[in-house]
Amino acid sequence: MSDSTTYDVIVIGGGPAGYPCAIRAGQNGLKAACIDEWKNYDGTHAFGGTCLNAGCIPSKALLESTELYHRAQAEFGAHGIKVGGLEFDLGTMQKRKSKIVKASTQGIQALFKAAGVTGLPGHGRLLAGNKVEYTALDGTKRELAARHVVLASGSAPMELKSVPFDGKAVVDSWGALEFDAVPKRLGVIGAGVIGLELGSVWRRLGAEVVVLEALEQFLWMADQQVAREALKHFRKQGLDIRLGAKVGGAKQGKTGVTLEYADASGTQTVTVDKVVVAIGRRPFTTDLLGEGTGVELDERGFVKVDHECRTAAPDVWAVGDVVRGPMLAHKGKEEGVMVGDLIAGRVSEVNYKAIPSVIYTAPEIAWVGLTEEEVKKSGRPYKVGSFPFLASGRARAMEATAGFAKLIAAADDDEILGVHIVGPMAGELIAEAVLALEYSASAEDLQRTMHAHPTLSEALHEAALGADKRAIDFPNR
Ligand code: FAD
Ligand code: AMP
């Protein structure tokens, strides 16, 4: 059946890339709809995609609860706070997490209403000629017409063929957020962002966690000074991180799941009760494109787009995890908003050089811009300033002195090239550095910016001063 309404914009996918795109289009006075098919384990539909339902939000909820538990166990004593009979209740933790997820996803409906966006729960498939086949949750089909279509179908966990998901002993990241009991022994395959965050959650609740990572290098995408510092702390917390360990098979038996992996000394095994496969995510385009749409995919299955997120087909755009670039919610959101503006004829762009990365472990890790390794490789002369949280009055007061802030600036014109933080609240502190990069700030700009005392943000101020060997509170190299 075809619908007589012609939309200005139909967005397929209601995750953090798709729903902001629809809202911005609506704010711009365009007639917008957002189709989304997400189903939770209980079968209910919710907007918000992976991020709100099974990613960023539930993982941060559990990281927060378990971090508090860990601090009560390990740090309260130093503050002179005695805690007797400390216990956790996983059921309550999980219920709290679900409540937070629900509040976040239900908010999207209200946002759609305010922006005049039509939310359409169900499946969307792009047809030739900018038509969209919409299959509602009850199975009824309608053909919708649109001037512009935005693909925002996101990503799905990659499966390791030799260790297939079974939803019980071998799970993906979503499954690992839903455990109803703490596994005694947990195997995590992949020491990427997701593997480390989930490994931390269950380690803090007492699981023996072994993390198997194929690469010899820990956090290859991060500044290696930061990666080395983080690895030291994670190992101290009891995360058994084995690098250069490529998993090639699994056998389920009476004593658990035995993972087989190859490392420098040959074939090894480790037996665990549960396995989380966190080896990365792939673009999700299943049943997204009908015949003759003109949309092209690259060799890895991502929808091909230019710097403004235009696909090869006229007036078809694509944003978020389904296109090139880091698979991050905020990157998708900025792309969605840009497209919502561009369709309305407004000027907009995404600064791909200023995308912050955050790993919400303890200590947190956050960075923006180039790593020292990348700057070195570029051949551009540079200077570095760093400041350890051990020298920060606020960090000492917080009993959170692990890590440091590091700033890299060009030696020629003082431009800030990269900022790397491992330490307390790194994910919040990095916002200042993102703004600095956005404004092409120099190290001197940061040096001349007053920072409140005593705050953690002084670490970045001192790191900027340190780049010119002018730090006050730390004798920089
Ligand atoms: P998605 O969020 O995947 O949304 C796509 C939506 O489209 C889904 O609802 C899907 O059901 C729907 N869909 C797909 N195809 C169709 C179709 N044909 N018709 C209708 N609907 C369709 N990122 C961060 O920035 N910070 C974090 O802290 C963070 N933590 C994470 C933790 C975990 C455990 C995971 C798994 C991911 C995390 N991420 C984080 C990554 C983040 O979730 C993704 O980058 C983000 O969700 C991508 O947004 P998206 O809108 O492109 O896709
Ligand atoms: P990310 O892409 O950040 O989610 O990280 C996924 C991690 O999984 C990467 O660091 C990969 O090197 C790692 N990985 C991929 N395949 C395997 C494997 N078979 N065994 C162990 N680690 C793996």
Side-chain angles (χ1 to χ4, degrees), residues 114-194:
V117 172
T118 307
L120 298 172
H123 184 76
R125 191 158 74 105
L126 178 68
L127 306 175
N130 285 7
K131 297 256 184 327
V132 173
E133 181 189 75
Y134 165 56
T135 311
L137 294 179
D138 64 7
T140 53
K141 287 187 192 296
R142 268 193 289 160
E143 203 173 281
L144 309 175
R147 285 199 304 114
H148 294 265
V149 178
V150 184
L151 308 174
S153 53
S155 61
M158 280 208 270
E159 185 155 21
L160 188 57
K161 282 211 174 72
S162 53
V163 190
F165 296 125
D166 67 6
K168 287 192 186 103
V170 181
V171 298
D172 62 12
S173 54
W174 194 8
L177 288 165
E178 301 291 329
F179 289 155
D180 55 12
V182 179
K184 188 169 175 320
R185 299 162 303 174
L186 176 68
V188 178
I189 307 180
V193 179
I194 293 174

Side-chain angles (χ1 to χ4, degrees), residues 12-18 35-39 46 48-57 59-60 122-125 152-155 173-174 177 193-194 197-198 281 284 286-288 319-322 326-332 358 360:
I12 304 180
I35 305 176
D36 186 275
E37 68 183 359
W38 185 275
K39 274 218 183 115
T50 306
C51 176
L52 272 66
N53 291 290
C56 325
I57 300 304
S59 62
K60 265 79 260 178
H123 184 76
R125 191 158 74 105
S153 53
S155 61
S173 54
W174 194 8
L177 288 165
V193 179
I194 293 174
E197 289 185 0
L198 291 172
R281 298 179 62 84
F284 183 75
T286 305
D287 198 26
L288 177 67
V319 294
D321 280 12
V322 79
M327 287 182 162
L328 292 170
H330 43 280
K331 174 263 192 188
V358 183
Y360 297 83

Side-chain angles (χ1 to χ4, degrees), residues 59-76:
S59 62
K60 265 79 260 178
L62 289 183
L63 278 159
E64 194 64 35
S65 300
T66 57
E67 169 72 357
L68 282 177
Y69 174 65
H70 172 76
R71 294 195 70 184
Q73 255 183 340
E75 289 170 21
F76 278 18

Side-chain angles (χ1 to χ4, degrees), residues 158 160 162-163 188-195 211-215 217 219-221 242 244-249 260-261 277-281 327:
M158 280 208 270
L160 188 57
S162 53
V163 190
V188 178
I189 307 180
V193 179
I194 293 174
V211 184
L212 302 169
E213 167 56 52
L215 300 177
Q217 199 180 15
L219 290 178
W220 62 270
M221 65 293 199
R242 303 185 192 175
K246 190 170 166 48
V247 178
E260 204 177 87
Y261 64 94
V277 181
I279 59 165
R281 298 179 62 84
M327 287 182 162

Side-chain angles (χ1 to χ4, degrees), residues 250-275:
K251 277 196 198 92
Q252 295 209 24
K254 281 200 185 114
T255 56
V257 186
T258 301
L259 294 171
E260 204 177 87
Y261 64 94
D263 68 10
S265 37
T267 303
Q268 316 285 345
T269 58
V270 60
T271 301
V272 293
D273 302 301
K274 298 260 187 198
V275 179

Side-chain angles (χ1 to χ4, degrees), residues 225 384-396 401-407 420-422 455-467 471-476:
Q225 197 184 343
V384 176
S386 58
F387 185 81
F389 284 104
L390 202 56
S392 152
R394 185 65 192 276
R396 281 199 295 258
T401 51
F404 56 84
K406 169 176 177 179
L407 178 139
H420 305 270
I421 305 174
V422 50
T455 59
L456 296 172
S457 70
E458 286 172 296
L460 189 51
H461 188 215
E462 287 283 319
L465 286 162
I472 300 297
D473 290 324
F474 185 66
N476 235 275

